[in-house]
Amino acid sequence: MYSFSEIHKKIDFIEILTNRESSEKSSHLEQIHFIHQGVDIKNAERLRIELGWGIRTFSSAIRTSNSSYVRYKKELKPLNTTLSENAFELAKAWSL
């Protein structure tokens, strides 16, 4: 039987956020390129749900307001570069 920490280590949150376009093993240039394209809000939502966080917690973690995050969801807009970078760093941290 796996312990919680062993199961947790198997999840690559970067792959979830990037829809497998990038991973922990991707080069820094590939990661930067992905961030500059903007994280698709659907993938940000997948990450939020995988983490088990509410919208308020997730939006705070990526340093935006709850209403701005909801607006991104409603308009299906990719996150801007700053929010994409914050979401990517969050995924990176949780992948460790």
Side-chain angles (χ1 to χ4, degrees), residues 39-74:
V39 169
D40 187 317
I41 190 64
K42 292 177 185 176
N43 294 336
E45 274 294 284
R46 286 180 58 218
L47 175 63
R48 181 186 70 77
I49 291 166
E50 188 69 37
L51 292 171
W53 292 2
I55 291 175
R56 182 159 292 160
T57 302
F58 187 76
S59 60
S60 177
I62 64 170
R63 305 228 182 246
T64 191
S65 67
N66 190 47
S67 59
S68 291
Y69 186 78
V70 170
R71 191 169 38 254
Y72 276 103
K73 277 183 58 173
K74 184 178 179 182

